[in-house]
Amino acid sequence: MTTTALILAAGKGTRMRSSLPKVLHPLCGWPMTRWVMEAAKGAGAAPVVVVGHQAERVRAALGDGAGYALQAEQKGTGHAVLCAADALPRAGVLLVLAGDTPLVRPETLRALLDGHGDALCTVLTAMLEPHEVPASAYGRLVRDAEGRAQRVVEAANATPPERLVREYNSGIYAFDAAWLIDEVLPALQPHPPKGELYLTDAVEAAAARGRLQAVCHPDADELMGVNDRAALSVAEAALRARINQAWMLAGVTLRDPGSAYVDAGVRLSPDVTLGPGVVLSGACVLEEGVTVGAHAVLTDTVVRAGATIKPGTVCEGAEVGPEATVGPMARLREGTVLGRKVKVGNFVETKKARLDDGVKASHLSYLGDTHVGADTNIGAGTITCNYDGFGKHHTEIGAGVFVGSNAALVAPVTVGHGALIAAGSVITTDVPDDALALGRGRQRNLPDRAAELRARFAERAGKVPR
Amino acid sequence: MTTTALILAAGKGTRMRSSLPKVLHPLCGWPMTRWVMEAAKGAGAAPVVVVGHQAERVRAALGDGAGYALQAEQKGTGHAVLCAADALPRAGVLLVLAGDTPLVRPETLRALLDGHGDALCTVLTAMLEPHEVPASAYGRLVRDAEGRAQRVVEAANATPPERLVREYNSGIYAFDAAWLIDEVLPALQPHPPKGELYLTDAVEAAAARGRLQAVCHPDADELMGVNDRAALSVAEAALRARINQAWMLAGVTLRDPGSAYVDAGVRLSPDVTLGPGVVLSGACVLEEGVTVGAHAVLTDTVVRAGATIKPGTVCEGAEVGPEATVGPMARLREGTVLGRKVKVGNFVETKKARLDDGVKASHLSYLGDTHVGADTNIGAGTITCNYDGFGKHHTEIGAGVFVGSNAALVAPVTVGHGALIAAGSVITTDVPDDALALGRGRQRNLPDRAAELRARFAERAGKVPR
Amino acid sequence: MTTTALILAAGKGTRMRSSLPKVLHPLCGWPMTRWVMEAAKGAGAAPVVVVGHQAERVRAALGDGAGYALQAEQKGTGHAVLCAADALPRAGVLLVLAGDTPLVRPETLRALLDGHGDALCTVLTAMLEPHEVPASAYGRLVRDAEGRAQRVVEAANATPPERLVREYNSGIYAFDAAWLIDEVLPALQPHPPKGELYLTDAVEAAAARGRLQAVCHPDADELMGVNDRAALSVAEAALRARINQAWMLAGVTLRDPGSAYVDAGVRLSPDVTLGPGVVLSGACVLEEGVTVGAHAVLTDTVVRAGATIKPGTVCEGAEVGPEATVGPMARLREGTVLGRKVKVGNFVETKKARLDDGVKASHLSYLGDTHVGADTNIGAGTITCNYDGFGKHHTEIGAGVFVGSNAALVAPVTVGHGALIAAGSVITTDVPDDALALGRGRQRNLPDRAAELRARFAERAGKVPR
């Protein structure tokens, strides 16, 4: 049977106080409405998103996993559905959801569909906590003595006993598609003062025909709408908890799940361990036995089995080889590919850098636009001078090379296999295999001259020398 | 009408186990009692703080937003008020609060004042949770059958039915100032064994005159006193939540409000985004659209619109220009001023450094006591040698300069506009505009000498060369 | 009286999905079962651990604070005790505990022992929350009308009224050792289908003799078993809260105890302050007045009184002297010893480095295998070249030395007291006391050559020069 999920995402979301449309605010790596789309798909429904405010931006961000309809003006929920009518099949069931309810689960929508049967409209409801009842502005579901759904009454129109009803309309519906689109929508009447069309009138029409149903969901929190950034943070925390719980049950150790930030698109493996404050964004993949130390931040990075990322390391678009160690406080940028057992240490930055198996770059280096052969040792303070102010150039370093500390390799340049670069050298021309390259001044010691210099410096500073 | 708020802050706070007076322990950037002062001011009352333990230090830390009175010896709450009598107006209402109740809100004090009317004393009360009742040492508020406040009975003197009373005395009072100071205080009798004067005797005096009132506050947590560091952390968390909630509703995204640490004095703007673990201390100002990555720590730093602070960056007393990017793992120190679209990258430190629009210092550099002209490129590993062991000296770098990697600029020195500094150079004398400066050794390649050197090194290490 | 605690730790813990045995998963720095061992010791019982899965690894990790017995095959709890029979004294009381209940406290076991009296078996029980009752698979404790423990009935065998009992068997027992080992164990009958021996049969035997007791513990959370990594994270959070609460009451400020990670073996002092995200692992000792900034990660590090560790710093196996300052973003490695008032600044790494009183190494340096005399200043970018590809060598730097920026000191080498090293020098031979050492190229300025070079670079990049 055809099931379509119409997701209403045309509003601006004024209370977000943002230049970004509300439905695009990110939650664990996805735009808010992507979560609703995925829930719909997970329930077997094809999503169609109604866009309006910044329509093109929303459409681009949500991608081609959904159909789209344009609601150019925002004139009510009924109007939103009407705007999408051409994009909707007449057969089967039409789910209607808001794009700002990111916590709704596929199984919840599945339960709504299962409960729909041959009703014209089925409302997904939940229960208010007793203390929320008096203040709530939600429409209440009125049931008859046998517990059958009779109608939804808006809070403003509710009688005093009806106002005590705890079961409320979540705004998520299943409709008989043909009936809604062809019979009800064309007959909707605008409501003063703004002339909006209300989808709740369709609920009323189903009730009038005695074919209204309600499915009550036990977890009201899951149906929350996000209207401001406080609610956004609550939704983020809920999704984070859900993601983290799943990974823990799959064999991942999170030292503090409250401070592990794992995006929806990340893939982890058993015996991965994440320290506190770790942020994994985008399409990270961490293989078996990988350890990520405290406060490391990885984006779109692949870490092979048994590798260790030490605290405070930042990686973007990198690939870390098996049993490699990176950090602490290293920074791997896009195009970094580290081989097996490579070691990249503190205060080292790599970019478009391929380091073959066993390479060590342990301290204070910049390796950009470079290939380093196996087992080469990069001394502390080594810089590949890849930029000349106009273009980027390549540095090729062979296997088994020893680059002394504080060396500068001015690209384009090639250092042959087995070469030795003396500490402090500036290398501007190619170094043959097995050669020793020096490019530095010769040391001179000037006896007793320190005192003389100190006196000069002290005088300059208006101080007495030591 | 005159309202004065007398804040009792003379105690040592032994259970804090600290050399810092309890009332000065910081909470979200303010000393604890500053929060009470601000609440009093927010309710329209002029604060007077009673100091005693480390009086001068407390006074200096709380500043001149309050009057002060000295309680040289701590001989009870009544004695504290007596010590302040000379500093207090006789007209209007006198609020009395403890300096260790930092969560009290202005509107709560306002409600106490509104309820005070023409009473002689009004007690602010709150309700114990039922399970707290039996153990509580608080004084209970006894009301008559009509619900009118009759008296406060200390836990030790309470009858069994009185001990079941949930409403307790928070220790926050409004008094008729003239009556308290001129009639009651002079008549207070010392209590054995320590000869202390109790302010609760003034409450009793008001009750005896039939002019005691009570205002019950619905949120008992807000009235908590801080007596040890566990309570201090609870208070910090409550204030943090309050600050964060307000910023979120104002349009700031906090990816995890539970781990966003924003001091009271910080100012944020819509579409600011703070990653997890971000710490904003002192007088930070972040303009619209600023993004601060995970675990960055900013103190007294201004960040202009659209700038990006990447993860793990530390800033103190810096100003970051519009659309600039800083970090990850950069460190901006006092006196740093970055222009528009400046880029400061990883492992770069700046201090008293002005970088004009478009400057790039992307890696592993130290820029201190320097001015860098627009669009200049600072190569990786560049060091301004600003210190000679006695004084700090200035480095002036022109616009459109290209400083090669691993260059050392020995201050005082000037590099002219458009100059080029060769990689690895040590610059000790001025470089004219558009000149190329080199200060490095010339490269020599010694063919096949690597093996010879390796053999020597291996022998030295007692190993077999590769 | 002899008390032995038999701790069952032979299982694999399949639901952990780990190559590490469940009982070795770390919690606040200790393997899970170490917590149970310590609780037993704290209650005066000598621990004996039953190992099986990866027995040698478990034994090695738990160390010689316990006796061990091997259960080669896992054939039930009764079988586990039977396997240990040879290692157990017949006198006194035998506690039996699971190795995966890390939250149990010494005082809880003490209460169980105190309640045991002359019973043959005493069961430690706790109360299910009402909503947990119907689903619980725990054995229920059945009491008679006088409240005396009668028997434990397994959930599967419970009558409907028995299933409503909230008091359940935690699986922690005190037994009369001689009775259990010599009378009951030899008579245990295997249960189909796996032929396991159940310790609950011993409970039944005690009940049959009318000598069963039960001690009900008020905190069910404390008796939780860890079976998956979600439970592991709950246990970690509970232990973390316990540790943090104790330190706060002892005078330590934790700005956010929810994100302070202090291992069981760490020792703190009054007026220590830990920022958010701080991780203290292993055997750290922090003396009075030490401040550790946000997100610093310290392992096995001693910090003397009044020292400051700034944000993002990583230390392992280091010792930081009194009033020293380290970081932000510094990295101290094993064998680092800093004297009084030493300053190690950002992007500085030390390893096997002794820095005497007053040394400053403020920026971008690597100091390895070195001793630096008092009051020496290490310039930004200084590198000790301690590695030649084969061995590590020592650099000796005297007192009162000034090492210029970007200097490379090629070890083994000695710099005498009071010497000056010019910026950018490569030092390969010893520098006498008070000498000035230079080892760098001489600066040449080539007028107007920048434009020429730029044109060449632009052409190379296919761009138009500026």
Side-chain angles (χ1 to χ4, degrees):
Chain A
M1 189 168 83
T2 306
T3 307
T4 308
L6 190 70
I7 301 171
L8 310 187
K12 178 175 189 300
T14 307
R15 286 165 56 197
M16 299 296 281
R17 300 178 183 272
S18 182
S19 63
L20 185 70
K22 177 169 80 171
V23 294
L24 293 191
H25 276 259
L27 288 170
C28 295
W30 283 350
M32 191 190 299
T33 294
R34 170 86 184 270
W35 288 97
V36 185
M37 282 167 53
E38 298 293 330
K41 286 186 202 173
V48 174
V49 181
V50 179
V51 293
H53 177 69
Q54 296 193 39
E56 273 318 298
R57 186 177 183 182
V58 173
R59 191 173 172 149
L62 295 178
D64 51 14
Y68 291 92
L70 182 68
Q71 182 190 20
E73 284 180 284
Q74 276 80 69
K75 293 166 62 182
T77 47
H79 177 250
V81 183
L82 195 60
C83 289
D86 289 349
L88 298 174
R90 265 53 177 173
V93 178
L94 181 70
L95 288 174
V96 180
L97 305 94
D100 64 359
T101 57
L103 301 186
V104 68
R105 293 177 189 262
E107 46 273 41
T108 304
L109 298 180
R110 195 67 256 163
L112 174 62
L113 290 169
D114 289 347
H116 181 58
D118 63 351
L120 294 175
C121 173
T122 305
V123 183
L124 187 68
T125 63
M127 300 304 266
L128 293 165
E129 290 301 306
H131 70 272
E132 298 169 329
V133 171
S136 168
Y138 285 108
R140 264 63 163 192
L141 186 86
V142 180
R143 292 180 180 268
D144 66 15
E146 281 74 40
R148 287 178 303 231
Q150 275 192 307
R151 58 199 182 87
V152 169
V153 60
E154 296 308 307
N157 305 330
T159 63
E162 284 169 349
R163 283 203 68 110
L164 295 179
V165 169
R166 286 178 56 205
E167 188 175 6
Y168 70 92
N169 173 12
S170 72
I172 299 177
Y173 309 99
F175 285 105
D176 179 298
W179 173 79
L180 177 70
I181 299 169
D182 292 331
E183 289 191 36
V184 180
L185 285 185
L188 285 182
Q189 295 300 315
H191 285 255
K194 293 199 244 167
E196 295 189 334
L197 304 182
Y198 292 175
L199 197 58
T200 45
D201 287 353
V203 179
E204 202 167 299
R209 303 266 294 264
R211 290 175 65 190
L212 178 68
Q213 299 225 24
V215 169
C216 186
H217 185 60
D219 178 9
D221 292 342
E222 188 189 316
L223 308 181
M224 74 176 281
V226 171
N227 288 308
D228 57 37
R229 304 215 206 193
L232 186 76
S233 77
V234 170
E236 171 102 9
L239 292 170
R240 187 162 63 235
R242 209 182 272 183
I243 290 170
N244 287 349
Q245 185 73 9
W247 287 124
M248 288 193 287
L249 295 180
V252 172
T253 289
L254 303 179
R255 180 144 180 209
D256 179 6
S259 77
Y261 306 88
V262 179
D263 268 5
V266 170
R267 289 296 162 256
L268 304 177
S269 306
D271 280 337
V272 162
T273 297
L274 305 185
V278 167
V279 182
L280 303 182
S281 303
C284 288
V285 176
L286 275 58
E287 293 185 353
E288 190 149 342
V290 165
T291 296
V292 183
H295 315 309
V297 177
L298 277 62
T299 305
D300 296 328
T301 289
V302 175
V303 187
R304 300 289 174 206
T308 300
I309 309 291
K310 294 189 176 179
T313 292
V314 176
C315 303
E316 303 135 19
E319 180 177 336
V320 176
E323 297 170 71
T325 66
V326 179
M329 293 178 278
R331 203 262 188 116
L332 307 185
R333 291 168 56 199
E334 70 281 4
T336 294
V337 180
L338 307 185
R340 177 178 295 271
K341 294 195 180 181
V342 164
K343 181 186 172 194
V344 171
N346 37 216
F347 320 126
V348 175
E349 172 190 1
T350 62
K351 187 216 73 169
K352 291 190 187 162
R354 189 149 57 87
L355 276 56
D356 290 349
D357 295 356
V359 168
K360 288 189 171 52
S362 300
H363 345 246
L364 290 159
S365 295
Y366 170 58
L367 299 175
D369 300 295
T370 191
H371 170 226
V372 182
D375 299 320
T376 282
N377 187 83
I378 303 290
T382 298
I383 309 278
T384 54
C385 311
N386 60 329
Y387 183 55
D388 58 15
F390 294 90
K392 300 291 174 79
H393 303 283
H394 184 81
T395 300
E396 180 71 26
I397 303 176
V401 170
F402 184 90
V403 179
S405 300
N406 261 356
L409 306 169
V410 182
V413 73
T414 295
V415 178
H417 301 301
L420 271 178
I421 310 287
S425 295
V426 180
I427 300 302
T428 55
T429 61
D430 291 353
V431 179
D433 288 4
D434 301 313
L436 168 67
L438 299 106
R440 66 189 189 195
R442 201 175 184 76
Q443 180 182 346
R444 291 171 300 148
N445 291 337
L446 308 184
D448 305 317
R449 283 283 295 279
E452 194 184 316
L453 257 185
R454 277 209 177 81
R456 202 200 303 166
F457 294 159
E459 192 186 353
R460 185 162 71 173
K463 294 182 182 171
V464 178
R466 282 172 294 190
Chain B
M1 190 171 81
T2 307
T3 307
T4 308
L6 190 69
I7 301 171
L8 310 187
K12 178 177 189 298
T14 307
R15 286 164 56 197
M16 299 297 281
R17 300 178 183 272
S18 183
S19 63
L20 185 71
K22 177 170 79 171
V23 294
L24 293 191
H25 276 258
L27 288 170
C28 295
W30 283 351
M32 190 191 298
T33 294
R34 169 86 185 270
W35 287 96
V36 185
M37 283 167 53
E38 298 292 332
K41 286 187 203 174
V48 174
V49 180
V50 180
V51 293
H53 177 69
Q54 296 193 38
E56 273 319 298
R57 184 176 184 183
V58 172
R59 190 171 172 150
L62 295 178
D64 50 15
Y68 292 91
L70 181 67
Q71 182 189 21
E73 284 179 284
Q74 276 80 67
K75 293 165 63 182
T77 47
H79 178 252
V81 183
L82 195 59
C83 289
D86 290 348
L88 298 173
R90 265 54 177 173
V93 178
L94 181 70
L95 288 174
V96 180
L97 304 95
D100 65 358
T101 57
L103 300 186
V104 69
R105 295 176 188 262
E107 45 272 42
T108 304
L109 299 180
R110 196 67 255 163
L112 173 62
L113 290 169
D114 289 346
H116 182 57
D118 63 351
L120 294 174
C121 173
T122 305
V123 182
L124 188 67
T125 62
M127 301 303 264
L128 293 165
E129 290 300 307
H131 71 272
E132 297 168 330
V133 171
S136 168
Y138 284 108
R140 264 64 164 192
L141 186 85
V142 179
R143 293 180 181 267
D144 66 16
E146 280 73 42
R148 287 178 303 232
Q150 274 191 308
R151 56 199 182 86
V152 168
V153 59
E154 295 309 306
N157 305 329
T159 62
E162 285 168 349
R163 284 201 67 110
L164 295 178
V165 170
R166 287 178 56 205
E167 188 175 6
Y168 70 93
N169 172 14
S170 71
I172 299 177
Y173 309 99
F175 285 105
D176 179 298
W179 173 78
L180 177 70
I181 299 169
D182 292 331
E183 289 191 38
V184 180
L185 285 184
L188 284 183
Q189 295 300 315
H191 286 255
K194 293 198 245 165
E196 296 190 334
L197 304 181
Y198 292 175
L199 197 56
T200 45
D201 287 353
V203 178
E204 203 166 299
R209 303 267 293 263
R211 290 175 65 192
L212 177 68
Q213 298 227 24
V215 168
C216 185
H217 186 60
D219 178 8
D221 292 342
E222 187 189 315
L223 307 180
M224 74 177 280
V226 172
N227 289 308
D228 57 37
R229 304 215 206 193
L232 186 76
S233 77
V234 170
E236 170 102 10
L239 292 170
R240 187 161 63 236
R242 211 182 270 182
I243 290 170
N244 286 349
Q245 185 74 9
W247 286 124
M248 288 192 287
L249 295 180
V252 172
T253 288
L254 302 180
R255 179 144 182 208
D256 179 5
S259 78
Y261 306 89
V262 179
D263 269 5
V266 170
R267 291 295 162 257
L268 304 178
S269 306
D271 280 337
V272 162
T273 297
L274 305 185
V278 167
V279 182
L280 304 181
S281 303
C284 288
V285 177
L286 275 59
E287 293 185 353
E288 191 149 343
V290 165
T291 296
V292 183
H295 315 309
V297 177
L298 276 62
T299 305
D300 297 328
T301 290
V302 175
V303 187
R304 301 289 176 207
T308 300
I309 309 291
K310 296 190 176 179
T313 292
V314 176
C315 302
E316 302 135 20
E319 180 178 336
V320 176
E323 298 172 70
T325 65
V326 180
M329 293 176 278
R331 204 263 186 115
L332 307 184
R333 291 168 58 198
E334 68 282 4
T336 294
V337 180
L338 307 185
R340 176 178 295 273
K341 295 196 178 179
V342 164
K343 181 187 173 193
V344 171
N346 37 216
F347 320 127
V348 175
E349 173 190 0
T350 63
K351 188 216 71 168
K352 291 190 187 163
R354 188 150 58 86
L355 276 55
D356 290 348
D357 295 356
V359 167
K360 288 189 170 54
S362 300
H363 347 245
L364 290 160
S365 294
Y366 170 59
L367 300 175
D369 300 295
T370 192
H371 169 228
V372 182
D375 298 321
T376 282
N377 188 82
I378 302 290
T382 298
I383 309 278
T384 54
C385 312
N386 59 329
Y387 183 56
D388 58 14
F390 295 89
K392 299 292 172 79
H393 303 283
H394 184 81
T395 300
E396 180 70 28
I397 303 176
V401 170
F402 184 90
V403 179
S405 300
N406 261 356
L409 306 168
V410 182
V413 73
T414 295
V415 178
H417 300 301
L420 271 177
I421 310 288
S425 295
V426 179
I427 300 302
T428 55
T429 62
D430 291 353
V431 179
D433 287 5
D434 301 314
L436 168 66
L438 299 105
R440 66 189 189 196
R442 202 175 183 75
Q443 181 182 345
R444 292 172 299 148
N445 291 336
L446 309 183
D448 305 319
R449 284 284 293 278
E452 193 183 318
L453 258 185
R454 276 208 179 83
R456 202 200 302 166
F457 294 159
E459 191 186 353
R460 185 163 71 173
K463 293 181 183 172
V464 178
R466 280 172 296 189
Chain C
M1 189 169 85
T2 307
T3 307
T4 307
L6 191 70
I7 301 170
L8 310 187
K12 178 175 189 299
T14 308
R15 286 165 56 197
M16 299 297 282
R17 299 177 183 273
S18 182
S19 64
L20 186 69
K22 176 169 80 170
V23 295
L24 293 191
H25 276 258
L27 288 169
C28 295
W30 282 351
M32 190 190 299
T33 294
R34 170 84 184 271
W35 288 95
V36 185
M37 283 165 53
E38 298 294 330
K41 286 186 203 175
V48 174
V49 181
V50 179
V51 293
H53 177 70
Q54 296 193 37
E56 273 319 297
R57 184 178 185 181
V58 172
R59 190 172 173 150
L62 295 178
D64 50 14
Y68 292 91
L70 182 68
Q71 181 190 21
E73 283 180 284
Q74 277 80 67
K75 292 165 63 181
T77 47
H79 177 250
V81 183
L82 194 59
C83 289
D86 289 349
L88 298 173
R90 264 54 177 174
V93 178
L94 180 71
L95 287 174
V96 180
L97 304 95
D100 63 0
T101 58
L103 301 186
V104 69
R105 295 177 188 262
E107 45 271 43
T108 303
L109 299 181
R110 195 67 255 163
L112 173 62
L113 290 169
D114 290 346
H116 182 57
D118 63 350
L120 293 175
C121 173
T122 305
V123 182
L124 188 67
T125 63
M127 300 304 265
L128 294 165
E129 290 301 307
H131 70 271
E132 297 169 331
V133 171
S136 167
Y138 283 108
R140 264 64 164 191
L141 186 85
V142 179
R143 292 179 182 269
D144 66 17
E146 281 73 42
R148 287 178 302 232
Q150 274 192 308
R151 57 198 182 88
V152 169
V153 59
E154 296 308 306
N157 305 329
T159 62
E162 285 168 349
R163 283 201 68 110
L164 295 178
V165 170
R166 287 178 56 205
E167 188 175 7
Y168 71 92
N169 173 13
S170 73
I172 299 177
Y173 309 98
F175 285 104
D176 179 297
W179 174 78
L180 177 70
I181 300 168
D182 291 331
E183 290 191 36
V184 180
L185 285 184
L188 285 182
Q189 295 299 315
H191 286 255
K194 293 199 246 165
E196 296 189 334
L197 304 181
Y198 291 176
L199 197 57
T200 44
D201 286 353
V203 179
E204 202 167 299
R209 302 266 295 263
R211 290 175 66 191
L212 177 69
Q213 299 226 23
V215 168
C216 186
H217 186 59
D219 178 8
D221 291 343
E222 187 189 316
L223 307 181
M224 75 175 281
V226 171
N227 289 308
D228 58 37
R229 303 214 206 194
L232 186 76
S233 77
V234 170
E236 171 102 9
L239 292 170
R240 187 162 63 235
R242 211 182 272 182
I243 289 170
N244 287 349
Q245 184 74 9
W247 287 124
M248 288 192 287
L249 295 179
V252 173
T253 289
L254 303 179
R255 180 145 181 208
D256 179 6
S259 77
Y261 307 88
V262 179
D263 268 5
V266 170
R267 290 296 161 258
L268 305 177
S269 306
D271 280 337
V272 162
T273 297
L274 305 185
V278 167
V279 182
L280 303 181
S281 303
C284 288
V285 176
L286 275 58
E287 293 186 353
E288 191 149 342
V290 165
T291 296
V292 183
H295 314 311
V297 177
L298 277 62
T299 305
D300 297 328
T301 290
V302 175
V303 187
R304 299 290 175 206
T308 301
I309 308 291
K310 296 190 177 179
T313 291
V314 176
C315 302
E316 302 135 21
E319 180 177 335
V320 176
E323 298 171 70
T325 65
V326 180
M329 292 177 279
R331 204 263 187 115
L332 308 184
R333 292 167 57 197
E334 69 281 5
T336 294
V337 180
L338 308 185
R340 176 178 296 271
K341 294 196 179 180
V342 164
K343 180 186 173 194
V344 171
N346 37 215
F347 319 127
V348 175
E349 171 189 1
T350 63
K351 187 215 74 168
K352 290 189 188 164
R354 189 150 57 86
L355 276 55
D356 289 349
D357 295 356
V359 168
K360 288 188 171 54
S362 300
H363 346 245
L364 289 160
S365 295
Y366 171 58
L367 300 174
D369 300 295
T370 191
H371 169 227
V372 182
D375 298 320
T376 282
N377 187 83
I378 302 290
T382 298
I383 309 278
T384 53
C385 312
N386 59 329
Y387 183 55
D388 59 14
F390 295 90
K392 299 291 172 79
H393 303 283
H394 183 81
T395 300
E396 180 70 27
I397 304 176
V401 171
F402 184 90
V403 179
S405 299
N406 262 355
L409 306 169
V410 182
V413 73
T414 295
V415 178
H417 300 301
L420 271 177
I421 310 287
S425 295
V426 179
I427 300 302
T428 55
T429 62
D430 291 353
V431 179
D433 288 4
D434 300 314
L436 167 66
L438 298 106
R440 64 189 192 196
R442 201 176 183 76
Q443 181 182 345
R444 292 172 298 150
N445 290 336
L446 309 184
D448 304 317
R449 284 285 294 279
E452 193 183 317
L453 257 184
R454 275 209 177 81
R456 200 199 304 167
F457 293 160
E459 192 186 352
R460 185 163 71 173
K463 293 182 183 171
V464 178
R466 280 171 297 187

